Amino acid sequence: LCFSRFANMSSLSQGPSLVRRDQLERLRPSLVSPDARRGKRRLHDVSLRKEKRHSRLLSRRLPGDAPAALDAAPHHQTADHAQLLAVVEMLKADCDCQALRAVQSVCSSPPQIDELVGLGVVHLLVERLVSHLPFEVHAEACRALAYFAGASSTKAASAIVAAGGVQALVHLLQSPDTLVREQSTWCLANLSAEETELCAAVQQCGTSLAVANMLATETSLSVLRAGSWALCNMACTKPGLPTFASALATLVRLLDCQDSVTLTEASNGVAALANCGAQHVRAILEARGGSKLVRLTQCGELEIQTAAVCALGNIVAGSDEHTQVLLDAGLMAACRPLLHHENSTVRKETCWLLSNVAAGNAEQLTAFVDSNVTPSLIRVLSKDDFQSRFEAAWAVCNLLVGGTRDQANYVIQLGAVAELLGVLKEMDHSACGFVLDGLHRALCLGRRAHSCNEVVATIEEDMGALEHIEQTQYCANQLASEKAKQIIDVFFQDSVDVLQ
């Protein structure tokens, strides 16, 4: 029985063999070994959409939220070609801040930005960065480039890279001026949210190491926020560990930060890194990131809690060794209140996390049951929205199939069978194999204990569920079809004859 979302949901070939699940790839054919199917899951909330990052950049420049010297965001206006030419000529003639703010004021849309790129504005802005000019000019030039990098325009970002802008921005991270460091970091953060090839070009300039080194001694809150955001964007591109080791250690260190904005970015970054492979997960745990993430699940900030739960879920989706580190850090005790959280996403992600804990070894399953989290899990299975119930069903079925006879009977006594039937009726026939695996184990245990009639009666009383199982015999998923046929032939043939 292979409880993997890489597989076609169930298998009848050999005995129980639980594997970790990938949240994204649910129906990939089972062509690899169980160890290779130990999946990781990309965090949807840590998105690299340029539109989202651009709007976020603009929102952080509202008056009162930006640094004093840059507290007046330019009023963006739609300009025709003649006006754009006038702005370019002003930029060529003057090296003061007025010309740079004029450029910022016409960065209202990707078409206008592309036209400015064609007129050579990016090259002029990069020239300002490498020239010996006042700090204020450097800051305004970085800010203008940040608008170009944050727009939905690959052309603009490519122009910055081609003009040597990344090297110039990285150099300015060492500036003694806080505003310059902040604005150059903002621009690098936007460039790090671009397409894969551009991200690679940014990383080749040693950007992540430079940002990490800057944050090691940084005291400015605005720079800390910008730097954590930049590293979060870079983490989402699945960077190689040798070049990102220092940045990873910095993100884990920032999990102790008291600022909620910085902490949110660091949590999202660590969650993304936990999806990059065993080496990254090991580095996170060696830096004591596991215990910090467990603590953050109780922080009370929704976005931080969600990121922490997803990071923990990615970690336990790896190996039993990684899972044990989190269990030793108090993971199960932290999960109990999360199953009663007012936010459905937190409940759903917690159930997904627990489903992978329930795919662990015998000692970890014992810790799961002893933590008394199962009743809360059954409650989610019975009363929550479908997505949360679906994830809870995975956890319950993993307990039924992987647990000992006593552990599985304990789950059955909590009413798991009836609740699984409720989820089963809402699922597509080809995707319900894992629920059928759990029900089959419950039926087999009942037969061995001479109490099979109780489980059979529960299923027979729910004629809709029984009909669903009967119809699954004819679905396209061969594994689910065979499991359904086995259940019907062994336990319910008379009942199905009456139903037909």
Side-chain angles (χ1 to χ4, degrees):
L1 305 177
C2 295
F3 281 17
S4 171
R5 290 188 184 173
F6 286 127
N8 286 329
M9 296 302 179
S10 65
S11 173
L12 299 171
S13 58
Q14 298 183 3
S17 176
L18 306 185
V19 300
R20 315 290 179 176
R21 301 183 291 121
D22 190 301
Q23 188 80 344
L24 294 181
E25 303 180 27
R26 300 183 178 183
L27 298 174
R28 183 179 295 175
S30 179
L31 300 177
V32 294
S33 66
D35 286 341
R37 289 198 301 272
R38 288 176 179 270
K40 292 286 188 287
R41 169 182 158 187
R42 185 189 299 275
L43 178 64
H44 290 291
D45 294 336
V46 186
S47 171
L48 294 185
R49 290 176 298 166
K50 288 171 283 187
E51 295 85 353
K52 177 179 178 181
R53 292 306 188 187
H54 182 49
S55 63
R56 189 171 184 179
L57 168 67
L58 296 177
S59 67
R60 291 196 177 185
R61 302 200 182 276
L62 294 175
D65 193 37
L70 298 174
D71 59 356
H75 174 70
H76 292 284
Q77 58 186 6
T78 302
D80 56 27
H81 183 69
Q83 291 172 312
L84 293 180
L85 285 174
V87 169
V88 174
E89 291 303 320
M90 181 187 301
L91 188 62
K92 290 179 178 179
D94 299 318
C95 291
D96 58 13
C97 293
Q98 183 178 356
L100 294 167
R101 291 182 181 129
V103 173
Q104 297 169 27
S105 69
V106 294
C107 294
S108 61
S109 66
Q112 282 195 182
I113 288 176
D114 285 345
E115 189 170 356
L116 288 170
V117 171
L119 294 172
V121 169
V122 169
H123 181 73
L124 294 173
L125 292 174
V126 172
E127 283 186 346
R128 299 294 192 277
L129 300 184
V130 299
S131 301
H132 295 287
L133 295 169
F135 292 143
E136 186 179 4
V137 175
H138 283 163
E140 289 289 359
C142 290
R143 186 184 187 192
L145 282 174
Y147 282 115
F148 280 79
S152 301
S153 170
T154 303
K155 180 179 179 180
S158 299
I160 295 174
V161 173
V166 176
Q167 293 91 328
L169 291 165
V170 168
H171 178 73
L172 289 177
L173 295 177
Q174 304 174 38
S175 172
D177 186 79
T178 301
L179 296 179
V180 175
R181 295 196 305 276
E182 179 198 3
Q183 297 305 307
S184 58
T185 306
W186 275 111
C187 190
L188 289 169
N190 275 330
L191 288 172
S192 300
E194 290 294 334
E195 296 180 353
T196 305
E197 292 183 359
L198 288 174
C199 283
V202 173
Q203 289 292 330
Q204 287 172 0
C205 298
T207 306
S208 63
L209 178 60
V211 174
N213 289 340
M214 176 190 69
L215 294 179
T217 57
E218 187 58 60
T219 58
S220 167
L221 180 59
S222 62
V223 180
L224 280 173
R225 290 177 172 182
S228 60
W229 174 41
L231 291 182
C232 178
N233 275 358
M234 297 174 199
C236 291
T237 65
K238 293 191 173 182
L241 188 58
T243 59
F244 206 74
S246 180
L248 184 149
T250 298
L251 283 171
V252 173
R253 179 177 60 82
L254 290 175
L255 294 178
D256 291 322
C257 183
Q258 299 301 310
D259 175 59
S260 62
V261 176
T262 303
L263 189 53
T264 298
E265 299 294 357
S267 301
N268 284 329
V270 173
L273 290 170
N275 187 41
C276 292
Q279 284 188 329
H280 293 72
V281 170
R282 189 177 300 111
I284 292 171
L285 296 178
E286 288 176 353
R288 302 184 182 276
S291 59
K292 294 180 181 182
L293 290 168
V294 171
R295 172 176 52 81
L296 289 177
T297 61
Q298 311 300 310
C299 73
E301 293 276 349
L302 177 59
E303 190 172 356
I304 297 173
Q305 283 181 300
T306 303
V309 171
C310 290
L312 292 168
N314 284 338
I315 292 173
V316 300
S319 68
D320 290 347
E321 177 188 357
H322 298 157
T323 300
Q324 191 59 49
V325 173
L326 297 184
L327 291 177
D328 294 341
L331 175 64
M332 298 307 298
C335 285
R336 283 200 301 271
L338 295 177
L339 290 173
H340 299 272
H341 199 281
E342 61 182 8
N343 183 269
S344 61
T345 299
V346 173
R347 297 195 301 273
K348 179 189 70 173
E349 301 300 334
T350 303
C351 290
W352 173 74
L353 184 161
L354 289 173
S355 71
N356 279 331
V357 176
N361 57 38
E363 291 77 13
Q364 290 166 356
L365 280 171
T366 299
F368 189 115
V369 174
D370 291 346
S371 69
N372 200 32
V373 76
T374 312
S376 297
L377 193 63
I378 299 296
R379 175 184 175 277
V380 174
L381 183 61
S382 65
K383 298 182 178 180
D384 221 309
D385 62 272
F386 176 73
Q387 290 298 322
S388 298
R389 290 164 58 218
F390 180 81
E391 298 294 347
W394 270 103
V396 169
C397 289
N398 274 356
L399 284 174
L400 285 171
V401 174
T404 65
R405 182 179 303 178
D406 290 341
Q407 290 169 346
N409 283 328
Y410 167 67
V411 176
I412 294 170
Q413 291 168 7
L414 291 174
V417 172
E419 304 305 340
L420 286 173
L421 295 177
V423 175
L424 177 70
K425 291 184 291 185
E426 298 181 50
M427 296 178 64
D428 183 81
H429 293 289
S430 62
C432 66
F434 74 95
V435 178
L436 297 179
D437 287 329
L439 293 174
H440 182 262
R441 178 79 195 284
L443 288 163
C444 291
L445 285 173
R447 182 168 59 181
R448 292 173 185 170
H450 305 292
S451 60
C452 185
N453 289 340
E454 182 178 344
V455 179
V456 169
T458 301
I459 298 177
E460 286 183 331
E461 289 173 2
D462 193 333
M463 296 304 293
L466 185 58
E467 183 178 4
H468 190 98
I469 296 173
E470 195 274 333
Q471 292 174 354
T472 302
Q473 296 179 98
Y474 312 108
C475 74
N477 185 330
Q478 182 181 358
L479 298 175
S481 172
E482 291 177 356
K483 177 59 71 174
K485 187 176 187 303
Q486 185 179 21
I487 290 175
I488 294 297
D489 289 347
V490 175
F491 299 100
F492 297 102
Q493 189 57 60
D494 292 341
S495 300
V496 170
D497 290 342
V498 172
L499 183 65
Q500 292 174 339

